[in-house]
Amino acid sequence: QVQLVQSGGGLVQPGGSLRLSCAASGFTLDNLDIGWFRQAPGKEREAVSCISSNGGTTRYADSVKGRFTISRDNAKNTVYLQMNSLKPEDTAVYYCATQRVSGCNLLYRTYLRDSWGQGTQVTVSA
């Protein structure tokens, strides 16, 4: 079965850190750009970050720049999102998605026809 399987997430205090993982099952990620997205309650899904297939290009939303780091280990068929200095406003369900056509970008609509992970909850609260 072809799917993206996410792990990580949970409850953390403001200022804390979490690492999300996005692993491919049934296919390889090494030739695919990957994006991370999040959706807070009552809000639209928004792009957080993306990384090119070889890791040479990364992009970040202004709201997470300097705090989040995207990386990948193609040998493990996994992409990571390291989240530091977390804020309550980072609370959301986080998703990873492949990007087969448009390259590493922060436009949600360009990922709609690609493969998505199941989502993982991140809650930042004291």
Side-chain angles (χ1 to χ4, degrees), residues 38 46-48 60-65 67-68 87 89-90:
R38 66 186 182 186
E46 62 177 359
V48 173
Y60 298 92
D62 288 343
S63 58
V64 306
K65 204 170 292 184
R67 300 187 297 121
F68 289 12
K87 305 175 181 179
E89 51 263 43
D90 294 317

Side-chain angles (χ1 to χ4, degrees), residues 46-69:
E46 62 177 359
V48 173
S49 182
C50 67
I51 187 167
S52 61
S53 58
N54 64 1
T57 298
T58 58
R59 291 186 170 86
Y60 298 92
D62 288 343
S63 58
V64 306
K65 204 170 292 184
R67 300 187 297 121
F68 289 12
T69 302

